[in-house]
Amino acid sequence: MTEPILEFEDVNIKYRTRGDSDVHAVNNASFTIGEHEYFGLVGESGCGKSTIADSVVGGLDDNGEVVSGKIKFKGKEIQDFSEKQFNKEIRWKEISVIPQSSMNSLDPVMKLSDQAIEMAKYHTDLSKREAVDRLRELFDVVGIPESRIHNYPHQFSGGMQQRTIIAFSLFLQPSLIIADEPTTALDVIMQDQILDYINALKDDWDVSMLMITHDISIVFENCDTMAVMHGGQMAESGSVVDVFDRPRHPYSILLQNAFPDIRYPDRELAVIEGHPPQLTEVPDYCTFADRCPWATAECYDGAPEPVDVGGGDDHRAWCVHADEMETLAAEHLSTSRNATNILEEAHE
């Protein structure tokens, strides 16, 4: 295990509302990202993934608040940083973001070269020429002709805009990049190209990544470790191989088996019935219990604690039935792909 670059320790995040009840978006979230590690965070919309990302860079809405727990970046607690501290010590310089909507992230009335100069002005000692030269180099990294650095964002396609955001995310040579659904608005061919560029960064840059997505297959193909979330709670975490080959949380199992597999075209896909709960109170139960085919009364008796489930040292599941889940869900796992074999085939 490398030295941790980002640590979440029992973090709770809520949003205040105008009504009587707050929204408890994240509850007792814990995970660690090591140096030069790609970490995937998976879950359906509304489970708390983007809230976690926003909390890392001080980007929560005005009504959002980290109410307890610790967020550590390179060993230093940052959950109580002021806006000034985030701007001075964290944003872009140490942690940058690749958002899902590139059009909303690029200034439509400024040339891209001018946006690079503006970034350099507030965060570095680079001259205007040096800033433009750095952007030119980064355009080459993401496969955009260097001659396009003086264009406006509207002159680029959606895929080129997203590659431009990747270039800007590398501009200040950060230690951690947060990719929040980076391919959502792109067609499947461009999605593949963007993921190729993101993967190439791992070999050529000394950078870690937090990749947030609802698509478990993207995490499996691009990350080293991962965590699965449901209803504001952690469900499972570990290496992608452990979570894929030996899932121990019902949501992980059903989510994995809800995706089609070309190797098993006749396999019946799993269906996750129901909807996530409205978290107007701190959940003192497993938030997946109402949707879980294996739920028992014990699942409603307190929020689940992490259980070590074997395999890798850090493979954990937040489920009271984790130790017996392999047997309980045998019918769902019988035709699952073996992650280790697929990884070996991919590298042949």
Side-chain angles (χ1 to χ4, degrees):
M1 179 70 182
T2 60
E3 289 297 319
I5 192 167
L6 182 67
E7 300 169 89
F8 262 59
E9 300 178 0
D10 295 321
V11 174
N12 292 274
I13 303 173
K14 73 175 183 180
Y15 292 99
R16 298 180 300 278
T17 68
R18 293 181 179 179
D20 296 331
S21 301
D22 296 329
V23 175
H24 298 271
V26 175
N27 300 278
N28 296 319
S30 296
F31 62 86
T32 299
I33 302 177
E35 293 180 347
H36 204 62
E37 180 180 338
Y38 275 26
F39 179 90
L41 189 57
V42 179
E44 60 195 333
S45 296
C47 72
K49 305 185 305 295
S50 293
T51 293
I52 284 177
D54 290 340
S55 70
V56 175
V57 293
L60 292 172
D61 292 337
D62 291 340
N63 64 328
E65 178 187 2
V66 178
V67 294
S68 63
K70 297 178 180 179
I71 303 174
K72 295 181 181 179
F73 179 74
K74 293 184 176 180
K76 185 175 183 178
E77 292 187 28
I78 63 172
Q79 71 273 1
D80 296 322
F81 268 21
S82 65
E83 185 78 3
K84 182 177 180 180
Q85 284 176 299
F86 271 112
N87 282 332
K88 182 179 180 181
E89 301 183 34
I90 298 296
R91 292 174 184 154
W92 294 107
K93 185 177 296 184
E94 285 284 4
I95 303 176
S96 61
V97 179
I98 302 173
Q100 55 182 296
S101 178
S102 54
M103 180 59 80
N104 295 335
S105 305
L106 297 168
D107 191 326
V109 298
M110 286 183 69
K111 295 179 180 178
L112 296 168
S113 54
D114 289 336
Q115 294 185 47
I117 291 171
E118 193 77 1
M119 182 182 294
K121 175 182 176 182
Y122 287 102
H123 297 285
T124 75
D125 296 326
L126 294 176
S127 66
K128 291 182 179 180
R129 178 181 293 276
E130 289 171 332
V132 171
D133 287 343
R134 177 170 292 184
L135 183 63
R136 184 177 287 111
E137 294 171 359
L138 292 172
F139 264 35
D140 182 59
V141 169
V142 298
I144 301 177
E146 298 175 10
S147 59
R148 303 294 299 273
I149 63 171
H150 299 297
N151 285 171
Y152 290 93
H154 70 82
Q155 294 176 280
F156 283 5
S157 66
M160 290 178 69
Q161 289 180 16
Q162 197 71 339
R163 280 183 280 166
T164 299
I165 289 295
I166 295 175
F168 275 115
S169 75
L170 295 169
F171 192 80
L172 300 182
Q173 299 178 319
S175 301
L176 175 68
I177 296 176
I178 298 174
D180 189 357
E181 300 278 10
T183 61
T184 295
L186 305 176
D187 62 71
V188 290
I189 295 176
M190 187 53 62
Q191 285 181 24
D192 187 61
Q193 291 181 10
I194 293 299
L195 291 172
D196 283 344
Y197 285 119
I198 288 176
N199 263 326
L201 302 180
K202 190 173 184 181
D203 297 326
D204 301 331
W205 296 73
D206 185 18
V207 65
S208 302
M209 184 167 293
L210 169 56
M211 184 177 292
I212 295 173
T213 180
H214 62 275
D215 189 339
I216 196 171
S217 62
I218 288 179
V219 167
F220 173 66
E221 293 174 359
N222 297 280
C223 296
D224 307 300
T225 54
M226 65 180 294
V228 180
M229 289 189 69
H230 176 274
Q233 292 177 341
M234 306 300 292
E236 189 163 357
S237 66
S239 72
V240 292
V241 172
D242 282 338
V243 175
F244 196 89
D245 279 353
R246 295 172 287 277
R248 291 295 183 271
H249 191 283
Y251 183 63
S252 302
I253 293 168
L254 295 175
L255 183 65
Q256 178 177 314
N257 283 269
F259 281 85
D261 189 327
I262 60 174
R263 298 186 179 196
Y264 308 106
D266 297 326
R267 186 183 72 181
E268 184 176 351
L269 299 182
V271 177
I272 304 177
E273 303 287 355
H275 303 280
Q278 297 295 317
L279 300 176
T280 55
E281 297 181 355
V282 178
D284 57 355
Y285 59 96
C286 172
T287 58
F288 190 60
D290 288 343
R291 309 173 71 186
C292 179
W294 304 288
T296 64
E298 193 178 359
C299 301
Y300 295 91
D301 187 18
E305 296 290 334
V307 177
D308 292 329
V309 290
D313 293 337
D314 299 313
H315 188 191
R316 301 189 295 173
W318 282 254
C319 177
V320 295
H321 299 301
D323 290 336
E324 55 183 331
M325 190 49 61
E326 183 175 17
T327 301
L328 291 174
E331 68 274 17
H332 292 282
L333 297 174
S334 59
T335 56
S336 291
R337 296 179 297 173
N338 181 277
T340 305
N341 291 341
I342 296 174
L343 286 174
E344 292 174 352
E345 293 170 8
H347 288 90
E348 288 180 354

